[in-house]
Structures are given as structure tokens and as C-alpha cells.
Amino acid sequence: MRSAPITLLLSAFLCTVGCSDSGDGDGGETASVGATGGTGGGATSGAGGATTSGAGGGATTGAGGGATTGTGDTTTGTGGATTGTGDTTTGAGGGTGGSDGTGGSAGGGSARVPAGSASTLREAGEKANPPILIGAAISGGGLNDNNYKRVAAAEHSYVTAENEMKWESVEPQAGQFSWGAGDNIVNWARQNNMKVKGHTLVWHNQLPGWMSSMTGKDNVTAAMRRHITQVMGHFKDRIDSWDVVNEAVQTDSDTGVGNPRMRPSVFLNQIGEGYIDLAFQIAREQDPKAKLYYNDYSIDARNAKVDFVYNMVKGMVERGVPIDGVGFQMHIGPPNNEAGGADVAANLKRFTDLGLEVLISEMDINRCGGVVTAEEQLAYYHDIVEACFKLPKCTAVTFWGINDGRSWLNSWSGALCNGQQSSQSLLFNDQYQKKETYNRVMDALLGK
Ligand code: 9MR
């Protein structure tokens, strides 16, 4: 298994706040040091692990493993040794260390068991235990193409509208809603027995001018409340998960490097940082059962941006803000970050240690500019999907599109495709044939 990128961007090394895993008690990652007694264990305590025997994960003391129970985790990690009982509630990592130092990489309770075989990605996800959703960004234009529809429905169980539920699409004029494009996608998804994630309620981008130029805290708060309430209300019982807030953090570079901070927007500027908590609270009032997510890019592995997001989300959990999970967009390569499987695994796990669900929410791997080679792309697809699959609390892998020719990257400034080259970023070519990237994803879903 390939675990680290050859072409590591600087961002991978920049670790400012909260980067250390020892403070998180992140069991799996510290496994290799377990030979001297194990250092992993609890999700929040960073304690646990046997201290004398080198068996880690509570072999002699019973102290390794779960955050609050102090028990090891025999199922997901080998470090739990004989005394561990697992801790499914906290999602804490298993014991670490032990004689082979391989403990607890999955964390979050029992490991996910792969299907024995599957003929589609969707089937591999559905037959896994627990199941994992396999998603795709779907565009209204794509649904005019029979081949696109056929592949999309056969291979996926989860849909995100690529643009059709964004603010400018659903509320182009103040208080006047337009549901047609979003309804088309939801209706098609339901006909094909697919779940839908709503994308996205509060975002600085693709906002109509009347909204982005609004002034006054009370005005913006009222507009945000109306938007969340109306949009979630319209799709209620047809959409059960939402990207409530999208991309609220920025850095000096889109790779997540340098000076992480809250991103200026009409919401931040007029309401203040509290707009994020408020958006989640309004969403929860509107739908007590929906899964509510924070979603962002270039937070996939290790850099200043994800440490900032980690602390932001941790604060939300501690304040009792109703957030259910975090979406890691996983746009790999220009203009975004590059992330190896091992770093992604460790990063996802520290968020599940907060008790949250995690999702890969917009995955693609851009080859334009030669920054990511063909070989690296295959390894990343396998290892990153594997990282999610191995974490039971990683509940979905969504790819940002179906076929290369329709990828947003082909024409996006900064993606180095210059509107001429294909980004070759997805799992299907323009004839909707499976690429080798597809095979590597399938392998990861089948535990190979
Ligand atoms: O794929 C989307 C593209 O068609 C739009 O032009 C673009 C506009 O901002 O948004 C793209 O989708 C973005 C998603 O909504 C949020 N994360 C980043 C995605 C790629 O830019």
C-alpha cells in the first residue's frame, strides 16, 4: 500500500495548531511507537495504552483504547490485545502499539467488513457491513444524456446536485424560490433508489447579488433563516443530509497553506463568526432528523487549514451545536491540496474521535499540469478510498462528476488544464468506459 505522496506539497508539512496526534490520543497513528509500551488510546485524553509491557492498547493495564471507557479495541486494531472490548460509542481508536505496532488504525468501533464480490461500486458499498454510500455530483445537463444516467445510477447510491441547489439557483430573487432544476435531480435520484445530499445552504460563492450585497446583521440573519427554512422545508423527507455551511475557512493558498482564518462573506461580515452555529441551529429546527454537515476543500490531510477547521468543529461539538459530520471534499491536485492515504486516514480519524461522522464529499484527482502523475493518481484513488472504507464512521465517498469530459476542472482557472486538456480526474472516460482509476476504487471497497 502506498501511504505517502512522492510530490508532497509544502502544505503537507505545515502544521501549526493542534497538529500533534498525541494530544488527540489518536491511537492508530502512534502505533509504531507502541513497541515501548503503547501511547495511543483515548480519543480525547491521549492517554491509555499499557505502559510497561510494550503490548499497547491496554494489554496489561486495560487502560488503552476508548476515550472514556479506557478499554482497548480488539476488533479494529491489533493493539487491543486480550483485554480490549472496543468502544463503539466514542469512536475512539483502538489500542496502539503492541508487539507489531499496528493497532487501531480504523477506530470507531468494529471494522467495516467488505463484500466478497461486487459488479458495481454501488453494490460493493451496499454489501459492505456497515454499508457505505457511493456518491456522485450530478448535473442537470448530464441527465439529458442516457449513457451518463445509466452509469450514474448503476454505480452510485448517493447524489449531490453539482450546482442546482445552490443559493443563486434556488433563490435567485429575494424570497422567490425556483425549484425545477433541483427537483429534477431529486426525482431522478429517487426513481433510482438513491439518497440525496443537499448542497449547499450557506456559502460565500454562487450567491445572488442581492444577497451578497445585503447589509445589517438583522437583515442577513433573517435572509439566512428564510433561505435555510424554505430550502430544507421544500425538500423535506426527500433529502436527509445537508451541507449546511460550505467553505467558511480560507488560507493564503488554495492548498490550505498559510494564515488560516474565517473567510470573509456577507455572513461573516454582517453576522460575525456566530453565523455558523446559527445556521446549524436553524437547520436542526427545520429538520430534527437530517444529517447536518460542514464541508470544505484542502482539509484532506495535514495542513494549517485543517487544523483550524478541526478546532472550529471541536468548539462546535463542545458548545452543543447540532453538527453531525464533516465533508472532506478531496479535490486532489491543482488548484487544491495533494494528500496521501496515510495522512488522510489519520486526519479522518481525529474527526471521528470527536464523535462525528466523516465523508469524502467531492473527490477527483486532477492530472493537468503533471503535478499528479498517472501512477500517483491510481495510488491516491485506492489509498484514500481505503482510508474512508476502513473507518466505519466514514459514511460516504462521493466523486465530483461521472466522466472526465464533464469535469469542472477542465475549465477552472488554476486547475492548469487551460480549457483545452482533460483533467482525466474521474473514474470513467468520455465513452463512459471504466478507467483504471475505477478498478483501484473497486479494490479499496472490496478490501483489496
Ligand atoms: O462543479 C461546480 C462547478 O460546475 C461550478 O462552476 C463551481 C462554481 O463555484 O462549483 C463547482 O462545485 C464546487 C462545489 O460546489 C463546492 N466545492 C468545490 C467544487 C468545485 O469547485
Side-chain angles (χ1 to χ4, degrees):
M1 183 183 88
R2 188 192 169 102
S3 59
I6 289 175
T7 322
L8 273 172
L9 293 181
L10 245 189
S11 60
F13 293 104
L14 286 182
C15 220
T16 52
V17 193
C19 243
S20 159
D21 290 310
S22 58
D24 310 332
D26 208 338
E29 297 154 85
T30 53
S32 59
V33 297
T36 55
T39 57
T44 53
S45 70
T51 53
T52 54
S53 71
T60 56
T61 64
T68 54
T69 63
T71 55
D73 184 339
T74 52
T75 314
T76 60
T78 57
T82 53
T83 58
T85 57
D87 182 351
T88 52
T89 310
T90 62
T96 66
S99 56
D100 62 2
T102 57
S105 62
S110 301
R112 177 175 272 126
V113 180
S117 65
S119 53
T120 62
L121 303 177
R122 174 178 185 153
E123 185 187 3
E126 287 171 347
K127 283 165 65 176
N129 185 17
I132 182 167
L133 293 166
I134 306 298
I138 296 296
S139 67
L143 293 186
N144 296 324
D145 176 340
N146 284 335
N147 284 322
Y148 177 102
K149 284 198 286 191
R150 176 178 51 77
V151 170
E155 298 285 349
H156 306 90
S157 49
Y158 198 33
V159 167
T160 305
E162 186 169 1
N163 289 299
E164 292 76 358
M165 294 181 196
K166 293 172 179 175
W167 197 309
E168 69 178 8
S169 301
V170 293
E171 194 184 359
Q173 266 89 47
Q176 292 180 25
F177 292 85
S178 170
W179 307 117
D183 278 343
N184 280 349
I185 290 180
V186 172
N187 292 341
W188 173 82
R190 286 166 61 81
Q191 282 158 17
N192 289 286
N193 203 21
M194 302 158 95
K195 294 182 119 180
V196 182
K197 173 152 68 84
H199 174 80
T200 175
L201 294 168
V202 179
W203 189 27
H204 67 281
N205 206 354
Q206 291 180 281
L207 266 185
W210 64 264
M211 186 62 215
S212 51
S213 59
M214 189 177 283
T215 53
K217 182 174 183 174
D218 290 350
N219 292 337
V220 175
T221 301
M224 185 174 86
R225 180 180 293 280
R226 177 179 63 195
H227 185 79
I228 295 172
T229 305
Q230 292 289 320
V231 177
M232 288 183 74
H234 176 77
F235 292 109
K236 204 165 185 178
D237 300 325
R238 297 186 294 155
I239 290 186
D240 61 4
S241 55
W242 288 92
D243 290 332
V244 177
V245 176
N246 196 38
E247 302 174 3
V249 174
Q250 71 173 17
T251 52
D252 290 344
S253 154
D254 272 347
T255 59
V257 176
N259 191 21
R261 56 203 184 272
M262 299 308 298
R263 182 190 296 279
S265 68
V266 68
F267 308 105
L268 182 74
N269 301 349
Q270 302 298 321
I271 302 176
E273 289 188 18
Y275 87 85
I276 298 178
D277 289 8
L278 183 60
F280 278 84
Q281 282 150 1
I282 294 168
R284 177 57 76 233
E285 281 165 26
Q286 172 55 271
D287 191 341
K289 298 192 304 273
K291 291 287 180 71
L292 306 180
Y293 302 134
Y294 176 75
N295 191 51
D296 214 332
Y297 65 89
S298 289
I299 59 166
D300 309 315
R302 290 178 173 253
N303 55 31
K305 183 173 182 179
V306 69
D307 290 337
F308 189 93
V309 168
Y310 176 84
N311 287 325
M312 180 185 90
V313 164
K314 185 165 180 278
M316 292 170 72
V317 170
E318 287 166 358
R319 289 192 297 279
V321 176
I323 178 172
D324 294 297
V326 176
F328 299 79
Q329 293 186 8
M330 216 63 71
H331 294 293
I332 304 296
N336 299 133
N337 65 176
E338 193 173 344
D343 285 341
V344 171
N347 190 44
L348 295 180
K349 185 175 178 302
R350 68 170 167 161
F351 282 82
T352 64
D353 285 346
L354 294 174
L356 295 170
E357 214 181 283
V358 295
L359 304 85
I360 293 179
S361 56
E362 305 187 8
M363 188 173 194
D364 51 24
I365 305 183
N366 181 17
R367 296 222 5 240
C368 284
V371 177
V372 177
T373 66
E375 192 187 35
E376 286 171 336
Q377 188 194 44
L378 294 178
Y380 288 158
Y381 259 122
H382 177 272
D383 294 353
I384 292 171
V385 172
E386 178 184 61
C388 174
F389 187 83
K390 284 190 164 178
L391 262 184
K393 291 191 80 163
C394 191
T395 53
V397 178
T398 286
F399 303 98
W400 205 242
I402 302 291
N403 61 322
D404 288 346
R406 290 181 183 273
S407 169
W408 69 286
L409 290 161
N410 301 340
S411 55
W412 191 259
S413 69
L416 308 181
C417 302
N418 304 317
Q420 292 161 355
Q421 245 181 303
S422 166
S423 58
Q424 304 173 69
S425 52
L426 291 164
L427 308 189
F428 295 88
N429 67 18
D430 290 352
Q431 287 70 47
Y432 296 96
Q433 289 159 331
K434 295 169 187 170
K435 295 166 52 186
E436 188 57 21
T437 47
Y438 175 100
N439 297 330
R440 301 308 304 276
V441 167
M442 180 65 103
D443 282 351
L445 295 176
L446 293 176
K448 298 182 194 165

